[in-house]
Amino acid sequence: QITPMLAGAGALARMEEVLKENAEKTARRIIIDVIQRLATTSSVESRAVNITVLNDMVKGKIVGKDGINILAFEELLNVDIVFNDLPNTISLSAFSLVDRRIAQVAMEKLVRTKGEITPEYVRETIKQATEETDKELFKIGKEALDRMGIQHDNEEFIRTVGRLRYRTSYGQNIMKHSMEVGWACRMLGNEIGLSDRTCLVAGFLHDVGKAIDQDPKVKDCHDRLSKEIMEKHGFSWEEVHAAWVHHDAEPQQTAEAFPVKAADAISAS
């Protein structure tokens, strides 16, 4: 005879086996649903930008005698400038896309300059371009946070988020990638009853450290930088933890940390 206790244990074992069999199917369905719902534009980003000039004489004025103006330009920005690759075109490329953006704004000003161009004028133009780019980064960061539904009023943090527009990884634009991860993570979390806010915030900010990791003065890896930035600007422990452990820097301690890692893989692939 089988005692009721043993019978109950057998039923639980069978139930556990069924749940294990169905878990993988359920997980696969959830992931497929999220990928299908995640209809975003391509996040591939080029590192080069082209500026059109009216005629090639303008190039000579920008270069200056013996290249003196371009030497002044390159003193301040680590940017590669190509004048003779294409007709009526100046090409700019850079490791740091923020530097490239500053160079683009400055070069567009120089192209429109009517009078003489000197090294001093070049330096002043780059200074103006840097100030304009800082304002642009704030605007980009504010629009991104508003779009994601994340409220924050610290200008430094907002500008840091804005820098993600000008950062790539394996050809992928990090701002677009971050938005994809935030949305995908929230969808995954909603399917299994997790915190909507934690999933969205952690997913969106998981790579925020990449906004500053190209600075030569910064030595740490991007996930730890994400942790430092989020802690500095008042995000909760749950949000910080779920964001920064997406590369297994330490074991995931919350359920919300796992969808961040999964959403990052979905977006990256």
Side-chain angles (χ1 to χ4, degrees):
Q1 290 185 345
I2 300 174
T3 64
M5 183 177 293
L6 289 176
L12 287 173
R14 288 192 297 273
M15 186 181 298
E16 184 178 7
E17 191 65 30
V18 170
L19 288 172
K20 285 180 179 179
E21 289 178 3
N22 291 336
E24 186 173 346
K25 295 178 184 178
T26 303
R28 189 182 295 116
R29 177 190 59 75
I30 290 172
I31 291 172
I32 291 172
D33 286 349
V34 168
I35 292 172
Q36 290 175 335
R37 292 167 61 194
L38 194 66
T40 59
T41 57
S42 172
S43 58
V44 175
E45 181 78 31
S46 170
R47 284 195 173 274
V49 64
N50 294 327
I51 297 170
T52 302
V53 297
L54 294 177
N55 59 70
D56 282 348
M57 292 181 61
V58 174
K59 296 180 182 180
K61 186 171 73 170
I62 293 173
V63 171
K65 185 178 179 181
D66 298 324
I68 189 170
N69 293 336
I70 290 305
L71 289 173
F73 202 101
E74 292 177 341
E75 279 180 10
L76 297 175
L77 295 172
N78 187 19
V79 178
D80 292 324
I81 308 170
V82 179
F83 286 90
N84 300 319
D85 197 26
L86 297 169
N88 300 329
T89 302
I90 299 173
S91 297
L92 305 173
S93 63
F95 177 67
S96 167
L97 298 191
V98 173
D99 283 351
R100 190 195 69 180
R101 178 58 181 166
I102 295 171
Q104 179 184 358
V105 174
M107 189 62 71
E108 287 172 347
K109 290 178 180 292
L110 294 177
V111 166
R112 295 193 300 267
T113 300
K114 301 296 184 183
E116 181 185 5
I117 296 177
T118 64
E120 290 73 23
Y121 183 79
V122 169
R123 294 187 186 97
E124 180 58 32
T125 302
I126 290 176
K127 180 181 177 182
Q128 293 174 7
T130 302
E131 293 171 353
E132 290 180 20
T133 302
D134 278 346
K135 293 178 182 178
E136 181 185 30
L137 293 176
F138 179 85
K139 181 181 178 182
I140 292 169
K142 187 71 169 62
E143 289 175 351
L145 289 167
D146 287 346
R147 188 176 181 187
M148 300 303 294
I150 300 172
Q151 300 299 317
H152 212 288
D153 57 5
N154 183 276
E155 290 191 11
E156 178 190 352
F157 174 73
I158 294 172
R159 195 174 290 109
T160 298
V161 171
R163 291 177 67 91
L164 295 176
R165 169 76 66 84
Y166 297 110
R167 176 69 164 86
T168 63
S169 180
Y170 298 100
Q172 191 174 33
N173 181 282
I174 296 302
M175 179 67 85
K176 293 179 181 178
H177 166 67
S178 297
M179 287 182 167
E180 285 178 357
V181 174
W183 290 324
C185 188
R186 180 170 62 179
M187 286 188 279
L188 288 169
N190 284 342
E191 290 286 345
I192 53 179
L194 304 183
S195 167
D196 187 271
R197 158 86 186 182
T198 300
C199 288
L200 180 70
V201 171
F204 178 63
L205 295 178
H206 77 289
D207 271 352
V208 71
K210 289 186 177 179
I212 61 172
D213 70 341
Q214 291 184 338
D215 188 328
K217 294 177 288 187
V218 174
K219 303 300 181 184
D220 219 337
C221 52
H222 79 271
D223 49 354
R224 291 187 179 276
L225 292 172
S226 296
K227 179 176 184 287
E228 292 174 9
I229 291 169
M230 292 180 70
E231 287 177 340
K232 178 179 179 181
H233 294 289
F235 289 91
S236 70
W237 179 87
E238 290 80 7
E239 292 163 349
V240 175
H241 174 76
W244 89 276
V245 298
H246 65 280
H247 286 318
D248 301 318
E250 70 174 34
Q252 287 80 9
Q253 298 180 42
T254 65
E256 285 79 8
F258 291 97
V260 175
K261 183 177 178 180
D264 181 42
I266 288 171
S267 175
S269 61

